[in-house]
Amino acid sequence: MRYFKVDVREEPTEYGFMPTMQMYLLEGAEKRPVVLIVPGGGYTTVCIQCDGEKTAMQYNAAGFHAAVLRYSVEPHHFPEPQRDLMSAIRILRENGDIWGIHEDRIAIIGFSAGGHLCASVSTLWHLAKRDAALYKPNAAILCYAILTARLNHCREFLEDHVGRDERKLKLAACEEQVSGYTPPTFLYGTFEDTLTNPENVLYYAEKLCEHGVPFECHIFPRGSHGAPWCDDTIWAKPAGERDCNYIRMSVEWMRELFGLL
């Protein structure tokens, strides 16, 4: 296993922050897919301890390279976090030969606000003015993500992130930006989640369907917002009587998507 950290920008932001990626690369000569993990935190912090290394270890155990992104949060706002994620995807793609990464098998997974960030880049990457293909995620895994402005509490969250500029708000309302450029997507949510409730997930799934974007969607009956399906050691232990381990399900989905079965 190779562990190292990579700066995502050439220079720190205007607030002196340097976004980084922590790399978790498996040994071996063959190229592998990589999963870029984008933790949650409401765009006020980045919950590395909750969504970071333990998630990377699960994808490593399944045969994927992994990386964890520490992106810009308050006082930064839209589109600064999006720029960080797009830059991270570009860096992974440009270093495919050096790091043993399959350049056409880059998946992003986001939790809560990190899920919104992944959905935002999934739907906006093609608007880059130069070399847009470098920023394209090949798959997106969205876990209890904010995906719409149709619901009042979701709109309030997005307004906190982008302000009340209607143009920016429309860009940040991921459901409205879904198109044929959006990559195949895995959606996860729960019925008990009152923040990213089922309507939020289903609105996004409806748009994916309208635009012919392949997707898989799971809405389970139990689980509050951000509830992990793990113990202190590994993301593998079911949290209840049923095995609703969405990490494992996303692995199976990616293996099928990338032709690894």
Side-chain angles (χ1 to χ4, degrees):
M1 180 76 72
R2 289 177 287 164
Y3 301 96
F4 56 93
K5 187 176 291 186
V6 178
D7 289 344
V8 169
R9 299 193 185 205
E10 293 183 1
E11 300 288 343
T13 70
E14 62 180 307
Y15 298 103
F17 175 73
M18 174 58 76
T20 60
M21 271 193 298
Q22 180 66 46
M23 307 299 299
Y24 300 81
L25 302 182
L26 299 172
E27 298 291 350
E30 66 175 308
K31 285 190 174 183
R32 300 174 183 268
V34 63
V35 180
L36 177 53
I37 299 154
V38 185
Y43 287 120
T44 62
T45 187
V46 180
C47 298
I48 297 291
Q49 290 186 332
C50 298
D51 304 325
E53 185 169 270
K54 288 187 285 187
T55 308
M57 293 296 99
Q58 275 295 90
Y59 285 115
N60 282 163
F64 295 81
H65 293 312
V68 179
L69 178 65
R70 187 182 293 273
Y71 54 93
S72 303
V73 295
E74 289 185 355
H76 308 87
H77 291 285
F78 180 90
E80 295 307 313
Q82 285 73 14
R83 288 174 177 164
D84 294 341
L85 178 51
M86 290 174 68
S87 178
I89 293 170
R90 175 184 55 78
I91 291 168
L92 292 174
R93 183 161 281 125
E94 290 180 337
N95 288 278
D97 289 339
I98 299 172
W99 294 341
I101 291 171
H102 197 301
E103 296 89 340
D104 294 326
R105 295 175 179 174
I106 297 175
I108 54 177
I109 176 172
F111 302 87
S112 192
H116 172 265
L117 178 49
C118 286
S120 182
V121 168
S122 292
T123 55
L124 299 176
W125 66 268
H126 63 285
L127 300 180
K129 294 180 179 179
R130 295 182 57 187
D131 301 320
L134 289 174
Y135 306 107
K136 177 185 177 181
N138 302 111
I141 302 165
L142 311 179
C143 302
Y144 39 89
I146 298 288
L147 299 170
T148 184
R150 287 200 225 180
L151 304 173
N152 288 338
H153 63 288
C154 293
R155 183 182 179 90
E156 289 171 2
F157 171 86
L158 293 178
E159 287 177 344
D160 285 342
H161 179 43
V162 307
R164 297 184 179 275
D165 183 316
E166 285 297 321
R167 184 186 64 84
K168 287 185 177 181
L169 185 61
K170 186 173 182 178
L171 285 173
C174 305
E175 162 216 1
E176 296 186 37
Q177 300 303 322
V178 171
S179 70
Y181 292 103
T182 306
T185 302
F186 180 99
L187 295 164
Y188 162 77
T190 70
F191 179 76
E192 292 182 339
D193 190 338
T194 57
L195 179 57
T196 55
N197 41 352
E199 295 99 317
N200 172 80
V201 178
L202 293 173
Y203 290 151
Y204 196 79
E206 180 183 30
K207 289 296 184 179
L208 293 172
C209 193
E210 284 182 12
H211 290 277
V213 178
F215 71 93
E216 181 169 321
C217 181
H218 297 273
I219 298 177
F220 295 110
R222 304 291 182 196
S224 58
H225 185 76
W229 295 93
C230 66
D231 56 21
D232 291 336
T233 306
I234 192 168
W235 285 77
K237 180 181 177 182
E241 295 179 0
R242 294 174 59 190
D243 183 2
C244 300
N245 188 323
Y246 56 85
I247 299 293
R248 192 200 69 246
M249 293 176 182
S250 72
V251 166
E252 295 168 350
W253 175 76
M254 281 193 294
R255 284 175 175 162
E256 183 179 78
L257 179 67
F258 293 149
L260 303 176
L261 295 176

